[in-house]
């Protein structure tokens, strides 16, 4: 494992080691981490935990327990180091979510792979983090159905251009988009990402909050 210098996680006191060969914290990580909003005392699962950044964000909410899974031993080792360095306790498992067996959780967090076409120029770590070979959208929703309590929530970030497909899966698997927030790049005319909170049950009214504008390293959340 190749460690870089410690980096700060935006708007927190957490410091985190990152591995240049693996998928590092990016805008999507921060957007999802800052979107989390749930009451304390819940059980939380992070699917594709990588370096543990989203578990650190979730720890701010004072959960009862944290669990992170990833298919790479190297990612689990890095997450373990970062959690220990920040005095956060979590259970970490090296396992595919398709094979993960556990009682259902109150909260699931995931920044899943969502690009459909592969890129052979990237190493295995980054291809797995970005492309759907190891986890496609059907498998993701199957995991929600199996690992999320009926009254639990899933927090997800996904490309806006695939919203219709995502919405279709919500209908198919009977998940309601309770809250959604669009993300815009300042230099683009169209939304690039959306953040959402899902809950099991028929589709009802969805709250679409004011968007976030991303300008380089600066985020402007118009709902705040």
């Amino acid at each position: 494992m190749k460690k870089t210098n410690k980096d700060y996680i935006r708007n927190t006191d957490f410091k985190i080691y990152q591995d240049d060969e693996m998928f590092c914290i990016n805008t999507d990580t921060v957007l999802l981490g800052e979107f989390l909003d749930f009451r304390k005392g819940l059980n939380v699962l992070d699917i594709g935990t990588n370096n543990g950044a989203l578990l650190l964000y979730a720890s701010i909410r004072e959960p009862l327990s944290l669990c992170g899974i990833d298919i790479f031993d190297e990612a689990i080792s890095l997450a373990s180091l970062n959690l220990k360095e920040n005095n956060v306790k979590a259970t970490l498992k090296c396992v595919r979510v398709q094979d993960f067996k556990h009682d259902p959780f109150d909260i699931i967090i995931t920044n899943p792979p969502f690009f459909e076409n592969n890129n052979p120029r990237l190493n295995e770590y980054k291809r797995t983090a970005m492309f759907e070979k190891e986890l496609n959208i059907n498998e993701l929703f199957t995991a929600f159905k199996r690992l999320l309590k009926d009254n639990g929530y899933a927090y997800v970030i996904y490309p806006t251009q695939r919203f219709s497909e995502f919405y279709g899966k919500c209908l198919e698997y009977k998940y309601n988009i309770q809250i959604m927030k669009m993300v815009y790049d300042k230099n683009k005319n169209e939304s690039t990402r959306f953040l959402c909170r899902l809950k099991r049950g028929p589709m009802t009214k969805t709250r679409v909050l004011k968007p976030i504008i991303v300008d380089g390293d600066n985020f402007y959340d118009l709902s705040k």
Side-chain angles (χ1 to χ4, degrees):
M1 180 174 66
K2 179 182 178 183
K3 291 185 297 185
T4 66
N5 292 328
K6 284 184 180 178
D7 296 314
Y8 278 99
I9 298 180
R10 177 188 135 99
N11 290 337
T12 76
D13 294 326
F14 296 128
K15 293 181 180 180
I16 192 166
Y17 284 113
Q18 303 202 75
D19 187 328
D20 291 336
E21 295 183 353
M22 300 177 70
F23 197 74
C24 294
I25 294 174
N26 65 2
T27 300
D28 288 357
T29 311
V30 177
L31 288 168
L32 183 57
E34 295 187 353
F35 181 65
L36 301 179
D37 184 15
F38 51 85
R39 61 182 175 83
K40 67 180 182 179
L42 301 180
N43 299 302
V44 179
L45 171 66
D46 177 19
I47 298 174
T49 199
N50 192 35
N51 56 26
L54 288 172
L55 289 174
L56 292 173
Y57 272 117
S59 72
I60 297 171
R61 299 291 168 182
E62 300 182 48
L64 178 64
S65 69
L66 290 169
C67 179
I69 61 173
D70 200 285
I71 67 171
F72 292 114
D73 282 320
E74 296 86 349
I76 293 298
S77 294
L78 187 57
S80 178
L81 171 64
N82 285 323
L83 293 165
K84 182 178 180 180
E85 289 280 321
N86 289 283
N87 298 312
V88 172
K89 294 182 179 180
T91 300
L92 300 173
K93 299 284 186 181
C94 183
V95 62
R96 297 170 73 244
V97 69
Q98 297 91 328
D99 303 320
F100 180 54
K101 293 178 173 58
H102 199 283
D103 292 336
F105 292 85
D106 300 296
I107 302 291
I108 291 179
I109 306 164
T110 186
N111 176 11
F114 45 59
F115 292 110
E116 297 174 276
N117 299 317
N118 212 336
N119 185 342
R121 292 177 296 178
L122 297 175
N123 65 33
E124 185 180 6
Y125 300 120
K126 293 181 179 179
R127 286 199 308 270
T128 300
M130 297 173 67
F131 298 95
E132 288 188 320
K133 180 181 177 182
E134 295 293 339
L135 179 63
N136 61 41
I137 191 169
N138 283 313
E139 292 169 322
L140 180 65
F141 273 83
T142 298
F144 290 161
K145 185 175 181 180
R146 185 168 56 85
L147 294 170
L148 190 63
K149 293 180 180 179
D150 286 344
N151 62 344
Y153 299 107
Y155 289 84
V156 188
I157 185 166
Y158 218 69
T160 309
Q161 65 181 5
R162 294 187 66 182
F163 175 75
S164 60
E165 182 183 3
F166 188 90
Y167 179 74
K169 294 302 174 186
C170 288
L171 295 177
E172 180 181 347
Y173 286 85
K174 296 181 172 56
Y175 278 92
N176 176 31
I177 301 176
Q178 285 199 318
I179 300 174
M180 186 168 69
K181 181 176 290 195
M182 310 304 286
V183 179
Y184 291 83
D185 187 306
K186 181 183 177 182
N187 299 316
K188 296 181 180 179
N189 293 325
E190 299 178 354
S191 170
T192 57
R193 300 281 189 270
F194 67 90
L195 296 153
C196 66
R197 186 177 81 184
L198 306 180
K199 186 176 183 181
R200 191 80 173 272
M203 193 62 66
T204 56
K205 294 180 180 179
T206 300
R207 295 171 56 206
V208 181
L209 306 180
K210 290 182 179 180
I212 297 173
I213 311 299
V214 177
D215 182 9
D217 293 331
N218 297 313
F219 299 176
Y220 302 96
D221 190 335
L222 302 185
S223 67
K224 297 180 179 179

